[in-house]
Amino acid sequence: MPKWMLKKNRAFDLSLFLFHPFFMIILGIDPGSRITGFGLVQKSGNRHSHIENGAIFLDDRLDFSAKLKELNDRITKLIKAHQPDVLVVENIFFHKNPKSTQKLGEVRGAVILTAALNELPLFEYTPLEVKKAITGYGRATKDQIQYMICKLLNLKDRAEENASDALAIALCHAQNLGGTARTAATPNTLTPAQSLLRQASYFRSPKAKRN
């Protein structure tokens, strides 16, 4: 029986398995040293739907290492509550301020570690890739991203800016997956879904990464 059928607190709907052969819950994370956005998107075949979004505001009174622990704890709670199949995070970009770039890298490291500790496949996309996937334009503004997210996921109200970015990251991954259907696999052949999961950052060998 597929893993998603066994997940706790998820209503069993046989139609999802029969008519939407590729089913996945994607957790998108937009990391930040003060505010980290999160967005959960469900993919059923070629359909994408919104589950939840929000922002994690880290306590400014904490030292930086304590903030990273708090972030780990909060994301872990999200994973336990929604049991996503993959975690997707925005790839690092270089900021004018080297110190800000370093801090952002450390926050991303905490997010990546959280994914590994919870045995979630990890995928990464650059801001350019996300913008192109959502708007078709690599230099789209924040306002344009928020507008498109509302349209694509049928949201009544715009999500908080960081949460909207996280939804965009999750939706970017959902669109890159396409409408891949399950196929029978021979003992030495991976299904399309398994092949996609093997592309996750820490499932790939160092040699594969270099290529």
Side-chain angles (χ1 to χ4, degrees):
M1 183 176 287
K3 178 182 174 184
W4 60 267
M5 289 185 179
L6 303 175
K7 289 188 176 181
K8 189 178 178 182
N9 298 327
R10 184 175 297 169
F12 174 75
D13 183 353
L14 186 59
S15 67
L16 287 173
F17 180 64
L18 294 176
F19 304 112
H20 301 290
F22 193 94
F23 181 94
M24 178 178 284
I25 288 182
I26 303 165
L27 171 59
I29 297 290
D30 178 44
S33 57
R34 291 182 60 253
I35 306 171
T36 290
F38 68 87
L40 285 138
V41 171
Q42 175 180 297
K43 177 178 177 61
S44 301
N46 287 320
R47 296 192 307 178
H48 310 130
S49 56
H50 170 257
I51 298 176
E52 187 178 344
N53 73 81
I56 299 171
F57 293 84
L58 300 176
D59 192 339
D60 287 332
R61 295 170 297 180
L62 299 175
D63 60 37
F64 193 61
S65 59
K67 284 184 178 181
L68 295 181
K69 182 183 181 302
E70 181 184 356
L71 183 61
N72 171 272
D73 292 343
R74 298 280 293 276
I75 295 176
T76 297
K77 285 182 180 179
L78 282 172
I79 293 170
K80 299 297 184 187
H82 296 282
Q83 299 190 28
D85 298 287
V86 296
L87 188 149
V88 190
V89 65
E90 188 171 77
N91 209 338
I92 196 167
F93 61 92
F94 292 99
H95 196 276
K96 291 180 180 179
N97 185 337
K99 191 172 182 180
S100 296
T101 302
Q102 179 185 343
K103 278 199 169 184
L104 180 59
E106 290 167 349
V107 173
R108 286 185 73 258
V111 173
I112 291 169
L113 177 61
T114 303
L117 290 173
N118 287 277
E119 299 182 344
L120 278 181
L122 176 77
F123 293 84
E124 302 174 50
Y125 294 93
T126 66
L128 179 65
E129 289 174 319
V130 174
K131 289 177 180 179
K132 278 189 174 181
I134 303 304
T135 69
Y137 178 54
R139 296 186 181 276
T141 64
K142 292 276 189 182
D143 187 64
Q144 289 170 330
I145 292 289
Q146 287 181 305
Y147 173 81
M148 286 303 298
I149 288 299
C150 282
K151 292 296 183 182
L152 293 170
L153 294 176
N154 296 315
L155 301 182
K156 292 182 180 179
D157 301 304
R158 289 193 179 191
E160 188 272 341
E161 185 176 297
N162 299 277
S164 184
D165 286 345
L167 285 171
I169 294 163
L171 193 54
C172 172
H173 184 64
Q175 292 181 349
N176 278 334
L177 290 174
T180 310
R182 287 192 187 91
T183 57
T186 62
N188 295 320
T189 304
L190 296 175
T191 64
Q194 290 170 330
S195 298
L196 287 165
L197 293 181
R198 285 297 181 92
Q199 295 172 21
S201 297
Y202 53 77
F203 278 106
R204 288 180 291 181
S205 66
K207 183 177 180 180
K209 289 181 181 179
R210 287 195 294 271
N211 294 335

Short mmCIF file of all heavy atoms in Angstrom, two decimals, residues 121-178:
data_model
loop_
_atom_site.label_atom_id
_atom_site.label_comp_id
_atom_site.label_asym_id
_atom_site.label_seq_id
_atom_site.Cartn_x
_atom_site.Cartn_y
_atom_site.Cartn_z
N PRO A 121 13.46 13.73 1.61
CA PRO A 121 14.26 14.12 0.45
C PRO A 121 14.28 15.64 0.33
O PRO A 121 13.26 16.30 0.58
CB PRO A 121 13.54 13.48 -0.73
CG PRO A 121 12.77 12.34 -0.13
CD PRO A 121 12.36 12.81 1.23
N LEU A 122 15.41 16.18 -0.04
CA LEU A 122 15.57 17.63 -0.12
C LEU A 122 15.84 18.06 -1.56
O LEU A 122 16.65 17.45 -2.25
CB LEU A 122 16.74 18.07 0.77
CG LEU A 122 17.09 19.56 0.72
CD1 LEU A 122 16.09 20.36 1.53
CD2 LEU A 122 18.51 19.80 1.21
N PHE A 123 15.14 19.13 -1.98
CA PHE A 123 15.36 19.71 -3.30
C PHE A 123 15.60 21.20 -3.15
O PHE A 123 15.09 21.83 -2.21
CB PHE A 123 14.15 19.46 -4.21
CG PHE A 123 13.94 18.01 -4.55
CD1 PHE A 123 13.25 17.17 -3.69
CD2 PHE A 123 14.45 17.49 -5.72
CE1 PHE A 123 13.06 15.83 -4.00
CE2 PHE A 123 14.26 16.14 -6.04
CZ PHE A 123 13.56 15.31 -5.17
N GLU A 124 16.37 21.76 -4.05
CA GLU A 124 16.72 23.18 -3.98
C GLU A 124 16.49 23.85 -5.34
O GLU A 124 16.76 23.26 -6.39
CB GLU A 124 18.19 23.36 -3.58
CG GLU A 124 18.53 22.72 -2.25
CD GLU A 124 20.03 22.79 -1.95
OE1 GLU A 124 20.60 23.90 -2.06
OE2 GLU A 124 20.61 21.74 -1.62
N TYR A 125 16.01 25.10 -5.29
CA TYR A 125 15.81 25.89 -6.50
C TYR A 125 16.31 27.31 -6.27
O TYR A 125 16.18 27.85 -5.17
CB TYR A 125 14.32 25.94 -6.88
CG TYR A 125 13.76 24.61 -7.28
CD1 TYR A 125 13.14 23.78 -6.35
CD2 TYR A 125 13.85 24.15 -8.60
CE1 TYR A 125 12.63 22.54 -6.72
CE2 TYR A 125 13.35 22.92 -8.97
CZ TYR A 125 12.74 22.12 -8.03
OH TYR A 125 12.25 20.88 -8.38
N THR A 126 16.87 27.90 -7.30
CA THR A 126 17.33 29.28 -7.21
C THR A 126 16.13 30.22 -7.31
O THR A 126 15.08 29.83 -7.85
CB THR A 126 18.32 29.62 -8.33
OG1 THR A 126 17.63 29.55 -9.59
CG2 THR A 126 19.50 28.64 -8.34
N PRO A 127 16.26 31.46 -6.82
CA PRO A 127 15.16 32.43 -6.98
C PRO A 127 14.75 32.60 -8.44
O PRO A 127 13.56 32.73 -8.74
CB PRO A 127 15.76 33.72 -6.41
CG PRO A 127 16.77 33.26 -5.41
CD PRO A 127 17.36 32.01 -6.01
N LEU A 128 15.71 32.55 -9.36
CA LEU A 128 15.42 32.69 -10.79
C LEU A 128 14.54 31.55 -11.28
O LEU A 128 13.57 31.76 -12.02
CB LEU A 128 16.72 32.74 -11.59
CG LEU A 128 16.58 32.86 -13.11
CD1 LEU A 128 15.96 34.20 -13.49
CD2 LEU A 128 17.94 32.70 -13.79
N GLU A 129 14.86 30.32 -10.86
CA GLU A 129 14.08 29.15 -11.27
C GLU A 129 12.65 29.23 -10.74
O GLU A 129 11.70 28.89 -11.44
CB GLU A 129 14.75 27.87 -10.77
CG GLU A 129 16.05 27.53 -11.49
CD GLU A 129 16.76 26.34 -10.87
OE1 GLU A 129 16.79 26.25 -9.62
OE2 GLU A 129 17.28 25.51 -11.64
N VAL A 130 12.52 29.69 -9.49
CA VAL A 130 11.19 29.80 -8.88
C VAL A 130 10.35 30.84 -9.61
O VAL A 130 9.19 30.60 -9.96
CB VAL A 130 11.31 30.16 -7.38
CG1 VAL A 130 9.92 30.41 -6.79
CG2 VAL A 130 12.01 29.04 -6.62
N LYS A 131 10.94 32.01 -9.87
CA LYS A 131 10.21 33.08 -10.54
C LYS A 131 9.77 32.66 -11.94
O LYS A 131 8.65 32.94 -12.37
CB LYS A 131 11.07 34.34 -10.61
CG LYS A 131 11.27 35.01 -9.26
CD LYS A 131 12.21 36.21 -9.36
CE LYS A 131 12.41 36.86 -8.01
NZ LYS A 131 13.33 38.02 -8.09
N LYS A 132 10.64 31.98 -12.66
CA LYS A 132 10.30 31.51 -14.01
C LYS A 132 9.17 30.50 -13.97
O LYS A 132 8.27 30.51 -14.82
CB LYS A 132 11.53 30.90 -14.68
CG LYS A 132 12.47 31.93 -15.30
CD LYS A 132 13.54 31.24 -16.13
CE LYS A 132 14.39 32.27 -16.86
NZ LYS A 132 15.44 31.61 -17.69
N ALA A 133 9.21 29.60 -12.98
CA ALA A 133 8.17 28.57 -12.87
C ALA A 133 6.81 29.17 -12.55
O ALA A 133 5.78 28.71 -13.05
CB ALA A 133 8.56 27.55 -11.80
N ILE A 134 6.78 30.21 -11.71
CA ILE A 134 5.51 30.78 -11.25
C ILE A 134 4.96 31.84 -12.19
O ILE A 134 3.76 31.89 -12.46
CB ILE A 134 5.68 31.39 -9.83
CG1 ILE A 134 6.19 30.32 -8.85
CG2 ILE A 134 4.36 31.98 -9.34
CD1 ILE A 134 5.34 29.08 -8.76
N THR A 135 5.84 32.68 -12.73
CA THR A 135 5.37 33.81 -13.55
C THR A 135 5.83 33.73 -15.00
O THR A 135 5.32 34.48 -15.84
CB THR A 135 5.87 35.15 -12.97
OG1 THR A 135 7.29 35.24 -13.14
CG2 THR A 135 5.53 35.28 -11.49
N GLY A 136 6.82 32.86 -15.28
CA GLY A 136 7.37 32.81 -16.62
C GLY A 136 8.41 33.88 -16.87
O GLY A 136 8.94 34.01 -17.98
N TYR A 137 8.72 34.64 -15.82
CA TYR A 137 9.68 35.75 -15.94
C TYR A 137 10.65 35.71 -14.78
O TYR A 137 10.23 35.77 -13.62
CB TYR A 137 8.91 37.08 -15.96
CG TYR A 137 9.77 38.32 -16.05
CD1 TYR A 137 10.72 38.47 -17.05
CD2 TYR A 137 9.62 39.35 -15.12
CE1 TYR A 137 11.51 39.61 -17.13
CE2 TYR A 137 10.39 40.50 -15.19
CZ TYR A 137 11.33 40.63 -16.20
OH TYR A 137 12.10 41.75 -16.27
N GLY A 138 11.95 35.62 -15.07
CA GLY A 138 12.96 35.45 -14.02
C GLY A 138 13.22 36.65 -13.15
O GLY A 138 13.86 36.54 -12.11
N ARG A 139 12.70 37.82 -13.55
CA ARG A 139 12.91 39.03 -12.74
C ARG A 139 11.58 39.56 -12.18
O ARG A 139 11.42 40.77 -11.98
CB ARG A 139 13.61 40.11 -13.57
CG ARG A 139 15.01 39.72 -14.01
CD ARG A 139 15.73 40.87 -14.70
NE ARG A 139 17.06 40.49 -15.13
CZ ARG A 139 18.14 40.50 -14.36
NH1 ARG A 139 18.02 40.87 -13.09
NH2 ARG A 139 19.32 40.15 -14.82
N ALA A 140 10.66 38.66 -11.94
CA ALA A 140 9.35 39.04 -11.40
C ALA A 140 9.50 39.67 -10.03
O ALA A 140 10.40 39.33 -9.25
CB ALA A 140 8.45 37.82 -11.32
N THR A 141 8.62 40.61 -9.70
CA THR A 141 8.65 41.28 -8.41
C THR A 141 7.93 40.42 -7.36
O THR A 141 7.21 39.48 -7.69
CB THR A 141 7.95 42.64 -8.48
OG1 THR A 141 6.56 42.43 -8.79
CG2 THR A 141 8.59 43.51 -9.56
N LYS A 142 8.12 40.79 -6.09
CA LYS A 142 7.43 40.10 -4.99
C LYS A 142 5.91 40.20 -5.18
O LYS A 142 5.17 39.24 -4.93
CB LYS A 142 7.82 40.73 -3.65
CG LYS A 142 9.27 40.50 -3.24
CD LYS A 142 9.44 39.17 -2.56
CE LYS A 142 10.82 39.02 -1.96
NZ LYS A 142 11.01 37.69 -1.33
N ASP A 143 5.46 41.36 -5.61
CA ASP A 143 4.04 41.58 -5.79
C ASP A 143 3.48 40.65 -6.87
O ASP A 143 2.39 40.09 -6.73
CB ASP A 143 3.79 43.04 -6.17
CG ASP A 143 2.32 43.38 -6.21
OD1 ASP A 143 1.67 43.32 -5.14
OD2 ASP A 143 1.80 43.70 -7.30
N GLN A 144 4.24 40.49 -7.96
CA GLN A 144 3.81 39.60 -9.04
C GLN A 144 3.77 38.14 -8.58
O GLN A 144 2.86 37.40 -8.95
CB GLN A 144 4.75 39.76 -10.24
CG GLN A 144 4.60 41.09 -10.96
CD GLN A 144 5.70 41.33 -11.97
OE1 GLN A 144 6.83 40.86 -11.81
NE2 GLN A 144 5.37 42.06 -13.04
N ILE A 145 4.76 37.75 -7.76
CA ILE A 145 4.79 36.39 -7.21
C ILE A 145 3.55 36.14 -6.35
O ILE A 145 2.86 35.12 -6.49
CB ILE A 145 6.07 36.15 -6.38
CG1 ILE A 145 7.31 36.15 -7.28
CG2 ILE A 145 5.97 34.84 -5.60
CD1 ILE A 145 7.44 34.94 -8.17
N GLN A 146 3.26 37.09 -5.45
CA GLN A 146 2.11 36.93 -4.56
C GLN A 146 0.80 36.85 -5.35
O GLN A 146 -0.09 36.06 -5.03
CB GLN A 146 2.05 38.10 -3.57
CG GLN A 146 3.12 38.03 -2.49
CD GLN A 146 3.02 39.19 -1.51
OE1 GLN A 146 3.03 40.34 -1.91
NE2 GLN A 146 2.92 38.87 -0.24
N TYR A 147 0.69 37.66 -6.37
CA TYR A 147 -0.51 37.66 -7.21
C TYR A 147 -0.70 36.29 -7.88
O TYR A 147 -1.81 35.73 -7.86
CB TYR A 147 -0.40 38.76 -8.26
CG TYR A 147 -1.53 38.73 -9.28
CD1 TYR A 147 -2.79 39.28 -8.98
CD2 TYR A 147 -1.35 38.14 -10.53
CE1 TYR A 147 -3.82 39.24 -9.90
CE2 TYR A 147 -2.39 38.10 -11.46
CZ TYR A 147 -3.62 38.65 -11.13
OH TYR A 147 -4.63 38.60 -12.05
N MET A 148 0.38 35.77 -8.47
CA MET A 148 0.28 34.50 -9.18
C MET A 148 0.00 33.33 -8.23
O MET A 148 -0.74 32.41 -8.58
CB MET A 148 1.57 34.23 -9.96
CG MET A 148 1.72 35.08 -11.21
SD MET A 148 0.33 34.90 -12.35
CE MET A 148 0.46 33.15 -12.76
N ILE A 149 0.58 33.38 -7.04
CA ILE A 149 0.34 32.32 -6.05
C ILE A 149 -1.15 32.29 -5.68
O ILE A 149 -1.75 31.21 -5.58
CB ILE A 149 1.20 32.53 -4.78
CG1 ILE A 149 2.67 32.22 -5.09
CG2 ILE A 149 0.72 31.66 -3.63
CD1 ILE A 149 2.93 30.79 -5.52
N CYS A 150 -1.75 33.46 -5.51
CA CYS A 150 -3.18 33.53 -5.21
C CYS A 150 -4.00 32.90 -6.33
O CYS A 150 -4.95 32.16 -6.08
CB CYS A 150 -3.61 34.99 -5.01
SG CYS A 150 -3.18 35.67 -3.41
N LYS A 151 -3.63 33.19 -7.56
CA LYS A 151 -4.37 32.67 -8.71
C LYS A 151 -4.18 31.16 -8.87
O LYS A 151 -5.13 30.42 -9.09
CB LYS A 151 -3.92 33.39 -9.99
CG LYS A 151 -4.29 34.86 -10.05
CD LYS A 151 -5.80 35.03 -10.08
CE LYS A 151 -6.20 36.49 -10.21
NZ LYS A 151 -7.67 36.66 -10.18
N LEU A 152 -2.93 30.72 -8.77
CA LEU A 152 -2.62 29.31 -9.02
C LEU A 152 -3.17 28.38 -7.93
O LEU A 152 -3.52 27.24 -8.21
CB LEU A 152 -1.11 29.12 -9.15
CG LEU A 152 -0.47 29.78 -10.39
CD1 LEU A 152 1.05 29.73 -10.28
CD2 LEU A 152 -0.94 29.11 -11.67
N LEU A 153 -3.23 28.89 -6.70
CA LEU A 153 -3.67 28.05 -5.58
C LEU A 153 -5.05 28.45 -5.06
O LEU A 153 -5.50 27.93 -4.04
CB LEU A 153 -2.64 28.11 -4.44
CG LEU A 153 -1.28 27.50 -4.75
CD1 LEU A 153 -0.32 27.70 -3.58
CD2 LEU A 153 -1.39 26.01 -5.08
N ASN A 154 -5.70 29.37 -5.77
CA ASN A 154 -7.06 29.80 -5.40
C ASN A 154 -7.16 30.30 -3.97
O ASN A 154 -8.07 29.93 -3.21
CB ASN A 154 -8.06 28.65 -5.62
CG ASN A 154 -8.17 28.25 -7.07
OD1 ASN A 154 -8.27 29.10 -7.95
ND2 ASN A 154 -8.14 26.96 -7.33
N LEU A 155 -6.21 31.15 -3.58
CA LEU A 155 -6.23 31.72 -2.24
C LEU A 155 -7.14 32.95 -2.22
O LEU A 155 -7.11 33.77 -3.14
CB LEU A 155 -4.83 32.14 -1.80
CG LEU A 155 -3.75 31.04 -1.77
CD1 LEU A 155 -2.43 31.62 -1.27
CD2 LEU A 155 -4.18 29.88 -0.89
N LYS A 156 -7.93 33.09 -1.17
CA LYS A 156 -8.81 34.25 -1.06
C LYS A 156 -8.02 35.52 -0.76
O LYS A 156 -8.35 36.60 -1.24
CB LYS A 156 -9.85 34.00 0.05
CG LYS A 156 -10.86 32.91 -0.30
CD LYS A 156 -11.88 32.76 0.81
CE LYS A 156 -12.89 31.67 0.46
NZ LYS A 156 -13.89 31.48 1.56
N ASP A 157 -7.00 35.38 0.08
CA ASP A 157 -6.17 36.53 0.47
C ASP A 157 -4.71 36.21 0.20
O ASP A 157 -4.30 35.04 0.21
CB ASP A 157 -6.35 36.86 1.96
CG ASP A 157 -7.79 37.20 2.29
OD1 ASP A 157 -8.34 38.11 1.66
OD2 ASP A 157 -8.35 36.53 3.19
N ARG A 158 -3.94 37.25 -0.01
CA ARG A 158 -2.51 37.07 -0.23
C ARG A 158 -1.85 36.56 1.04
O ARG A 158 -2.14 37.01 2.14
CB ARG A 158 -1.85 38.38 -0.65
CG ARG A 158 -2.22 38.83 -2.05
CD ARG A 158 -1.31 39.93 -2.52
NE ARG A 158 -1.65 40.34 -3.88
CZ ARG A 158 -0.89 41.13 -4.62
NH1 ARG A 158 0.24 41.60 -4.12
NH2 ARG A 158 -1.26 41.47 -5.85
N ALA A 159 -0.93 35.64 0.87
CA ALA A 159 -0.17 35.12 2.01
C ALA A 159 0.88 36.16 2.42
O ALA A 159 1.25 37.04 1.64
CB ALA A 159 0.52 33.81 1.64
N GLU A 160 1.35 36.06 3.65
CA GLU A 160 2.46 36.90 4.11
C GLU A 160 3.63 36.74 3.15
O GLU A 160 3.80 35.67 2.55
CB GLU A 160 2.83 36.48 5.53
CG GLU A 160 3.83 37.36 6.24
CD GLU A 160 5.27 36.95 5.98
OE1 GLU A 160 5.50 35.80 5.56
OE2 GLU A 160 6.17 37.78 6.19
N GLU A 161 4.41 37.77 2.96
CA GLU A 161 5.45 37.80 1.91
C GLU A 161 6.37 36.59 1.95
O GLU A 161 6.61 35.95 0.92
CB GLU A 161 6.28 39.08 2.06
CG GLU A 161 7.31 39.26 0.96
CD GLU A 161 8.06 40.57 1.08
OE1 GLU A 161 7.44 41.63 0.97
OE2 GLU A 161 9.29 40.52 1.30
N ASN A 162 6.89 36.23 3.13
CA ASN A 162 7.80 35.08 3.24
C ASN A 162 7.06 33.76 3.01
O ASN A 162 7.60 32.84 2.40
CB ASN A 162 8.48 35.07 4.61
CG ASN A 162 9.31 36.33 4.85
OD1 ASN A 162 10.44 36.43 4.42
ND2 ASN A 162 8.72 37.31 5.54
N ALA A 163 5.82 33.70 3.48
CA ALA A 163 5.01 32.50 3.27
C ALA A 163 4.68 32.33 1.79
O ALA A 163 4.67 31.22 1.26
CB ALA A 163 3.72 32.58 4.09
N SER A 164 4.43 33.46 1.12
CA SER A 164 4.15 33.41 -0.31
C SER A 164 5.36 32.89 -1.08
O SER A 164 5.22 32.10 -2.03
CB SER A 164 3.77 34.82 -0.80
OG SER A 164 3.41 34.80 -2.15
N ASP A 165 6.55 33.32 -0.68
CA ASP A 165 7.78 32.83 -1.32
C ASP A 165 7.93 31.32 -1.11
O ASP A 165 8.34 30.59 -2.01
CB ASP A 165 9.00 33.55 -0.77
CG ASP A 165 9.11 34.98 -1.28
OD1 ASP A 165 8.43 35.32 -2.26
OD2 ASP A 165 9.89 35.76 -0.69
N ALA A 166 7.57 30.86 0.10
CA ALA A 166 7.67 29.43 0.40
C ALA A 166 6.67 28.63 -0.44
O ALA A 166 7.00 27.54 -0.94
CB ALA A 166 7.43 29.19 1.89
N LEU A 167 5.47 29.15 -0.61
CA LEU A 167 4.48 28.49 -1.47
C LEU A 167 4.97 28.43 -2.92
O LEU A 167 4.78 27.44 -3.62
CB LEU A 167 3.14 29.22 -1.41
CG LEU A 167 2.30 29.03 -0.15
CD1 LEU A 167 1.11 29.98 -0.16
CD2 LEU A 167 1.82 27.58 -0.02
N ALA A 168 5.63 29.52 -3.35
CA ALA A 168 6.18 29.57 -4.70
C ALA A 168 7.24 28.50 -4.90
O ALA A 168 7.30 27.84 -5.94
CB ALA A 168 6.75 30.95 -4.98
N ILE A 169 8.08 28.29 -3.88
CA ILE A 169 9.13 27.27 -3.95
C ILE A 169 8.51 25.88 -4.04
O ILE A 169 8.92 25.04 -4.86
CB ILE A 169 10.05 27.37 -2.72
CG1 ILE A 169 10.82 28.70 -2.73
CG2 ILE A 169 11.03 26.21 -2.66
CD1 ILE A 169 11.42 29.07 -1.38
N ALA A 170 7.48 25.63 -3.21
CA ALA A 170 6.80 24.33 -3.24
C ALA A 170 6.10 24.11 -4.58
O ALA A 170 6.17 23.01 -5.16
CB ALA A 170 5.78 24.25 -2.09
N LEU A 171 5.45 25.15 -5.09
CA LEU A 171 4.74 25.03 -6.35
C LEU A 171 5.70 24.85 -7.52
O LEU A 171 5.40 24.13 -8.49
CB LEU A 171 3.86 26.26 -6.57
CG LEU A 171 2.81 26.19 -7.66
CD1 LEU A 171 1.90 24.97 -7.48
CD2 LEU A 171 1.97 27.46 -7.67
N CYS A 172 6.86 25.49 -7.45
CA CYS A 172 7.90 25.32 -8.47
C CYS A 172 8.29 23.85 -8.57
O CYS A 172 8.39 23.29 -9.67
CB CYS A 172 9.11 26.17 -8.12
SG CYS A 172 10.57 25.89 -9.15
N HIS A 173 8.46 23.20 -7.42
CA HIS A 173 8.82 21.78 -7.42
C HIS A 173 7.68 20.94 -7.97
O HIS A 173 7.90 20.01 -8.76
CB HIS A 173 9.18 21.33 -6.01
CG HIS A 173 9.65 19.92 -5.94
ND1 HIS A 173 10.81 19.47 -6.54
CD2 HIS A 173 9.11 18.81 -5.36
CE1 HIS A 173 10.97 18.18 -6.33
NE2 HIS A 173 9.95 17.75 -5.62
N ALA A 174 6.45 21.26 -7.57
CA ALA A 174 5.28 20.51 -8.05
C ALA A 174 5.19 20.58 -9.58
O ALA A 174 4.91 19.58 -10.24
CB ALA A 174 4.01 21.06 -7.41
N GLN A 175 5.44 21.75 -10.14
CA GLN A 175 5.36 21.91 -11.58
C GLN A 175 6.50 21.19 -12.29
O GLN A 175 6.32 20.66 -13.39
CB GLN A 175 5.36 23.40 -11.94
CG GLN A 175 4.09 24.11 -11.50
CD GLN A 175 4.06 25.57 -11.87
OE1 GLN A 175 5.08 26.14 -12.30
NE2 GLN A 175 2.92 26.20 -11.71
N ASN A 176 7.66 21.16 -11.67
CA ASN A 176 8.80 20.45 -12.26
C ASN A 176 8.59 18.94 -12.28
O ASN A 176 9.16 18.24 -13.13
CB ASN A 176 10.10 20.78 -11.52
CG ASN A 176 10.70 22.09 -11.97
OD1 ASN A 176 10.48 22.52 -13.10
ND2 ASN A 176 11.45 22.74 -11.11
N LEU A 177 7.76 18.44 -11.36
CA LEU A 177 7.47 17.01 -11.33
C LEU A 177 6.57 16.61 -12.49
O LEU A 177 6.59 15.46 -12.92
CB LEU A 177 6.78 16.63 -10.02
CG LEU A 177 7.64 16.68 -8.75
CD1 LEU A 177 6.76 16.43 -7.53
CD2 LEU A 177 8.76 15.66 -8.81
N GLY A 178 5.77 17.53 -12.99
CA GLY A 178 4.85 17.21 -14.08
C GLY A 178 3.75 16.30 -13.59
O GLY A 178 3.45 16.20 -12.41
#
